[in-house]
């Protein structure tokens, strides 16, 4: 791959070594020296912060400090005192009334070590049931920690590697890739080019990314099941956050049985800029909605992926709502809508369970109407057949396992975002010349000891094998046949 204004590359496989799995989160947290400062907000919040404090200690954070009113003048002095002690990493759980980042900046505290979750507007001010709101607060806090601290792990490694190659911090938002995996040169794929909203990607002798046009929206990385792109800084690990947000219940030590229980899990993937501001506004004005609404904020709608939506269902979501900002570029809107269509095709049960809306920033009334409307008629049901972990570093492998786990169909039409093909060969006339296996860009067809094998999970449905066979013996169907996804078949 060639980048215009190309910078040094980092081998992404080195970085994957620093990924953490959910089971290792606790030990990682303990090593990271995190301080949590939370505001009890005695005046308005419904959350039981004593229970939450015990919960935070239970998940392995020992340094937990609270204040009754962090937004008061006295509270701000208290916050400054905490900053003066230079905690290594500080999580503030409070409301949006004060800009905690600006104050930290004034105090010369490194803001990259400060993590703020507006737990009051997103939970404490918008619910009425103390037990449910407290359960939701625990899930949101655990999910926030899991997402952000797994990212910190990766980012630190990335920053060190990039700096060692002479890059400035400002240059770290850059693209790295594994060009050897790109299928465009053989005419087998062009997905990133079709979805890039700024037409920054083209393919001639090699894949070209014009950095003058690229604004690092990340859609190319999300579209590509070959994992060719790799973008800094990485988004928080949203899949890891899902594990915690959708956990059945958090039992804090000493909690009464049945105390921490939400009946439905309605996961909301929302744009972390404009739509998050609308959520915050709803919180400030105290607009109420059901505790079962579990929001997770993505940097932009382009961060959504088919895998992420399917993982939400795999982890126990009963419904997924996508909320984007109306002013989103048309190609990103098309990408999100196509991702939803691709997910719905995988299982008939997902048809009514995925909803998406484009809303205007600060349109609180529309937001509340959507949230209220979408919490009705959700029948809790176990949708997955098997658990699929969030530890994959091969997106295609993860997608295959998610389809096997969630699909209720024998045949699924493939799409640009779920690119699969199924090959049938008229074997009676096959001379075993091996041309199809030699040309297959993904090794879905292989020639071994006088036989041809087909691995459906690797086939992208490019048709190249079909056209190379002089006797026209192959037929490539643009579909996923679920019964064959996990096997290699001897076709001749
Ligand atoms: S989506 Fe991936 S495989 Fe397809 S053309 Fe782009 S980089 Fe190549
Ligand atoms: S098996 Fe045929 S259609 Fe599938 S990826 Fe290989 S060449 Fe393309």
């Amino acid at each position: 791959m060639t980048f215009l204004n190309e910078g040094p590359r980092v081998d992404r496989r080195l970085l994957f070594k620093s990924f953490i799995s959910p089971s290792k989160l606790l030990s990682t947290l303990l090593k990271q020296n995190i301080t949590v400062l939370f505001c009890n907000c005695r005046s308005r919040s419904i959350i039981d912060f004593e229970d939450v404090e015990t919960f935070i200690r239970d998940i392995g954070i020992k340094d937990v400090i609270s204040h009754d009113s962090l937004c008061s003048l006295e509270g701000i002095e208290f916050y400054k005192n905490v900053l003066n002690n230079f905690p290594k990493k500080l999580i503030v759980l409070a409301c949006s009334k004060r800009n905690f980042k600006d104050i930290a900046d004034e105090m010369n505290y490194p803001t990259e070590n400060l993590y703020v979750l507006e737990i009051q507007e997103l939970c404490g001010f918008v619910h009425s049931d103390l037990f449910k709101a407290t359960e939701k607060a625990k899930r949101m806090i655990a999910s926030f920690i899991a997402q952000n601290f797994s990212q910190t792990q990766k980012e630190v490694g990335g920053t060190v590697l990039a700096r060692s190659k002479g890059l400035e911090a400002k240059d770290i938002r850059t693209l790295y890739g594994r060009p050897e995996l790109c299928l465009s040169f053989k005419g087998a794929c062009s997905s990133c080019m079709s979805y890039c909203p700024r037409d920054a990607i083209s393919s001639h002798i090699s894949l070209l990314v014009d950095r003058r046009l690229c604004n690092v929206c990340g859609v190319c990385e999300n579209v590509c099941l070959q994992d060719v792109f790799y973008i800094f800084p990485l988004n928080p690990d949203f899949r890891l956050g899902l594990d915690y947000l959708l956990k059945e219940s958090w039992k804090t030590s000493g909690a009464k049985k049945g105390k921490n229980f939400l009946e439905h899990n309605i996961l909301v993937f929302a744009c972390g800029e404009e739509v998050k501001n609308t959520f915050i506004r709803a919180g400030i004005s105290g607009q109420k909605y059901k505790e079962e609404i579990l929001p997770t904020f993505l940097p932009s709608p382009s961060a959504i992926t088919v895998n992420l939506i399917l993982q939400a269902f795999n982890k126990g979501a009963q419904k997924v709502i996508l909320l984007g900002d109306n002013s989103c570029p048309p190609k990103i809107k098309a990408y999100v809508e196509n991702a939803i269509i691709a997910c719905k095709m995988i299982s008939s049960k997902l048809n009514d369970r995925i909803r998406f809306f484009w809303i205007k920033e600060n349109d609180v009334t529309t937001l509340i109407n959507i949230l209220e409307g979408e919490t009705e008629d959700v029948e809790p049901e176990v949708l997955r057949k098997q658990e699929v972990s969030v530890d994959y570093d091969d997106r295609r492998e993860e997608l295959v396992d998610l389809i096997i786990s969630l699909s209720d169909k024998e045949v699924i039409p493939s799409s640009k975002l779920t690119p699969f093909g199924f090959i049938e060969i008229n074997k009676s006339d096959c001379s075993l010349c091996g041309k199809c296996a030699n040309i297959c860009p993904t090794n879905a067809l292989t020639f071994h000891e006088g036989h041809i094998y087909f691995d459906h999970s690797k086939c992208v449905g490019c048709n190249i094998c079909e056209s190379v066979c002089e006797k026209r013996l192959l037929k490539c169907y643009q579909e996923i046949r679920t019964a064959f996804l996990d096997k290699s078949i001897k076709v001749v």
Side-chain angles (χ1 to χ4, degrees):
M1 183 181 334
T2 309
F3 296 115
L4 299 183
N5 309 321
E6 188 171 19
R9 290 192 191 132
V10 171
D11 182 348
R12 68 203 297 276
R13 280 156 291 197
L14 283 177
L15 299 167
F16 274 122
K17 287 188 181 159
S18 56
F19 274 32
I20 56 167
S21 69
S23 54
K24 291 187 194 141
L25 179 63
L26 181 69
S27 55
T28 312
L29 289 178
L30 289 170
K31 277 188 221 135
Q32 287 198 27
N33 231 333
I34 297 168
T35 299
V36 171
L37 169 62
F38 69 83
C39 176
N40 287 320
C41 190
R42 296 273 182 220
S43 57
R44 278 184 74 191
S45 180
I46 183 97
I47 300 168
D48 174 353
F49 266 102
E50 273 169 33
D51 195 2
V52 170
E53 179 172 351
T54 316
F55 161 74
I56 295 171
R57 290 185 195 283
D58 278 358
I59 61 170
I61 299 175
K62 299 298 165 222
D63 205 0
V64 187
I65 314 163
S66 65
H67 191 276
D68 282 351
S69 177
L70 260 190
C71 64
S72 65
L73 287 178
E74 193 220 319
I76 291 302
E77 286 311 308
F78 185 84
Y79 172 57
K80 287 181 177 172
N81 276 337
V82 173
L83 293 173
N84 273 334
N85 285 323
F86 269 84
K88 263 197 166 163
K89 304 264 166 70
L90 178 63
I91 299 173
V92 175
L93 307 171
C95 70
S96 65
K97 195 167 166 191
R98 299 284 180 175
N99 193 326
F100 292 100
K101 290 239 172 196
D102 281 357
I103 299 169
D105 207 24
E106 282 163 25
M107 301 285 295
N108 292 325
Y109 180 79
T111 49
E112 65 271 23
N113 294 345
L114 175 66
Y115 300 80
V116 181
L117 177 64
E118 298 87 351
I119 193 71
Q120 306 298 11
E121 281 93 348
L122 298 175
C123 182
F125 298 164
V126 288
H127 300 312
S128 328
D129 183 311
L130 179 139
F131 292 143
K132 285 185 174 184
T134 305
E135 165 68 16
K136 174 173 167 176
K138 289 178 196 173
R139 293 191 193 189
M140 289 189 73
I141 293 165
S143 171
F144 181 74
I145 292 171
Q147 279 179 13
N148 285 294
F149 287 85
S150 62
Q151 178 209 19
T152 307
Q153 286 283 89
K154 289 177 275 185
E155 222 182 350
V156 168
T159 307
V160 170
L161 282 168
R163 291 234 168 97
S164 73
K165 303 247 178 193
L167 273 184
E168 297 284 333
K170 66 179 168 45
D171 294 323
I172 290 171
R173 283 177 70 85
T174 186
L175 298 159
Y176 297 91
R178 292 192 291 180
E180 69 278 11
L181 298 181
C182 178
L183 303 174
S184 69
F185 319 121
K186 293 181 177 165
C189 183
S190 60
S191 291
C192 56
M193 290 165 248
S194 356
Y195 284 113
C196 172
R198 307 186 66 151
D199 295 324
I201 311 172
S202 56
S203 170
H204 302 291
I205 297 166
S206 70
L207 201 69
L208 288 164
V209 177
D210 187 339
R211 291 212 195 158
R212 293 164 301 187
L213 295 174
C214 170
N215 68 351
V216 206
C217 74
V219 75
C220 53
E221 188 188 27
N222 293 332
V223 164
C224 180
L225 282 178
Q226 292 292 108
D227 288 319
V228 166
F229 290 99
Y230 190 53
I231 295 180
F232 278 119
L234 287 170
N235 291 330
D237 195 332
F238 299 110
R239 293 175 310 165
L240 197 52
L242 288 180
D243 242 11
Y244 293 85
L245 201 57
L246 295 166
K247 198 174 160 68
E248 242 161 57
S249 81
W250 283 106
K251 192 173 185 319
T252 310
S253 13
K256 292 181 200 82
K257 201 165 178 261
K259 184 174 170 181
N260 306 316
F261 184 69
L262 293 179
E263 274 173 53
H264 309 304
N265 286 315
I266 300 173
L267 194 91
V268 180
F269 288 116
C271 155
E273 298 282 333
E274 292 83 355
V275 182
K276 184 174 180 191
N277 290 342
T278 315
F279 266 91
I280 299 280
R281 273 193 165 235
I284 293 169
S285 57
Q287 303 260 355
K288 301 278 189 270
Y289 50 91
K290 293 217 172 99
E291 293 81 1
E292 280 80 2
I293 296 281
L294 300 166
T296 188
F297 297 101
L298 309 173
S300 96
S302 62
I304 200 73
T305 60
V306 170
N307 287 28
L308 195 57
I309 298 172
L310 296 180
Q311 272 294 6
F313 287 109
N314 174 59
K315 294 288 162 202
Q318 292 301 318
K319 200 171 205 180
V320 168
I321 304 173
L322 289 107
L323 293 177
D325 179 61
N326 219 5
S327 61
C328 204
K331 274 198 181 175
I332 298 292
K333 283 186 174 174
Y335 164 67
V336 174
E337 288 166 18
N338 288 345
I340 292 168
I341 293 168
C343 290
K344 287 185 174 184
M345 279 198 284
I346 285 165
S347 166
S348 55
K349 290 189 177 167
L350 301 187
N351 231 345
D352 298 328
R353 291 174 188 266
I354 310 175
R355 308 273 292 145
F356 72 98
F357 302 89
W358 301 103
I359 61 172
K360 285 195 193 131
E361 186 175 8
N362 296 331
D363 186 351
V364 173
T365 312
T366 304
L367 175 70
I368 298 296
N369 286 343
I370 291 169
L371 299 181
E372 281 299 301
E374 293 302 324
T375 34
E376 288 161 10
D377 305 329
V378 191
E379 279 302 317
E381 194 183 333
V382 178
L383 297 168
R384 71 175 181 211
K385 296 190 205 85
Q386 63 187 49
E387 183 153 10
V388 179
S389 89
V390 292
D391 293 352
Y392 292 77
D393 56 18
D394 182 322
R395 201 182 305 219
R396 194 172 173 91
E397 259 177 40
E398 181 188 34
L399 179 59
V400 165
D401 285 350
L402 285 165
I403 294 172
I404 292 170
S405 172
L406 291 165
S407 184
D408 60 353
K409 296 181 178 174
E410 285 177 12
V411 179
I412 303 164
S414 57
S415 70
K416 257 204 161 115
L417 298 174
T418 47
F420 288 87
F422 190 85
I423 302 296
E424 282 179 0
I425 302 185
N426 176 354
K427 50 185 164 190
S428 52
D429 291 333
C430 176
S431 59
L432 285 169
C433 71
K435 278 186 186 162
C436 55
N438 282 340
I439 203 162
C440 173
T442 64
N443 289 331
L445 283 174
T446 45
F447 190 73
H448 184 62
E449 294 182 350
H451 295 287
I452 296 173
Y453 293 86
F454 174 62
D455 184 340
H456 186 21
S457 69
K458 289 185 180 162
C459 176
V460 294
C462 64
N463 284 334
I464 294 175
C465 53
E466 196 181 293
S467 51
V468 85
C469 177
E470 283 152 15
K471 296 185 184 174
R472 296 280 175 261
L473 299 179
L474 288 99
K475 176 89 185 109
C476 174
Y477 296 89
Q478 305 295 317
E479 55 194 32
I480 304 166
R481 299 193 189 171
T482 47
F484 298 97
L485 265 181
D486 58 351
K487 340 181 152 67
S488 176
I489 322 159
K490 194 201 282 182
V491 280
V492 184

